[in-house]
Amino acid sequence: GPMAITHNYTILCDQVRKENTGKWILIGVYEDQLAVPQLPAPMSGLTFFMRLESDRPGMWTARIRLEHLETGHKLFEGLAQINFQRPGHGMVPMATPPFQLTAVGSYNFVVEIQGQEANPIVHPFLVSLGIPQQPQQQGSR
């Protein structure tokens, strides 16, 4: 059947909290590169803050995993619940448990939503050693 849930975007961060006002607080936002000083690097967990859209209300189970591309090594696998009270869009934080990074290179965070496993949501990112490269800002002369 048609996909119930579509993916708009994902923001990778250390932690996400929700205020009483309903506003989200994102802590430690990464760009597409996660730089670690040395390997192995223990991580207290990452949160993939996803904006999803659903064409119907409902509850879905999703299989989530974090994998290193070159080796196929899975850093963790788990289940998440996606709950839409009404059609529309919503922010869904997908948090990982603590894990250890043992290799640099390309990683994928993969979300397979029940009923639409053929079209997984994939968020790629890079792990590197050292300090991430920052674009240089030009000062006015």
Side-chain angles (χ1 to χ4, degrees), residues 45-90:
L46 293 172
T47 300
F48 295 81
F49 190 58
M50 299 194 154
R51 183 182 157 106
L52 303 178
E53 201 164 328
S54 180
D55 65 4
R56 67 197 83 148
M59 173 106 72
W60 289 264
T61 301
R63 302 175 81 81
I64 59 177
R65 66 179 183 270
L66 188 59
E67 57 189 24
H68 182 239
L69 237 60
E70 284 92 321
T71 59
H73 173 65
K74 289 179 180 50
L75 287 85
F76 95 97
E77 290 182 273
L79 293 175
Q81 292 289 335
I82 301 169
N83 191 4
F84 276 90
Q85 258 130 29
R86 62 193 70 84
H89 55 255

Side-chain angles (χ1 to χ4, degrees), residues 7 9-18 24-31 34 43-51 64-66 76 80 91-99 108-111 123-125:
H7 171 244
Y9 62 82
T10 296
I11 300 169
L12 172 54
C13 42
D14 286 326
Q15 265 183 54
V16 171
R17 302 203 187 125
K18 197 167 194 181
W24 295 97
I25 301 171
L26 275 57
I27 302 161
V29 174
Y30 297 94
E31 291 184 42
L34 200 154
M43 306 291 291
S44 57
L46 293 172
T47 300
F48 295 81
F49 190 58
M50 299 194 154
R51 183 182 157 106
I64 59 177
R65 66 179 183 270
L66 188 59
F76 95 97
M91 301 307 300
V92 180
M94 302 260 187
T96 77
F99 61 89
N108 275 347
F109 180 70
V110 182
V111 181
H123 183 77
F125 63 97

Side-chain angles (χ1 to χ4, degrees), residues 94-117:
M94 302 260 187
T96 77
F99 61 89
Q100 189 154 279
L101 286 170
T102 55
V104 296
S106 300
Y107 285 79
N108 275 347
F109 180 70
V110 182
V111 181
E112 291 174 349
I113 298 167
Q114 147 203 354
Q116 48 188 74
E117 291 88 352

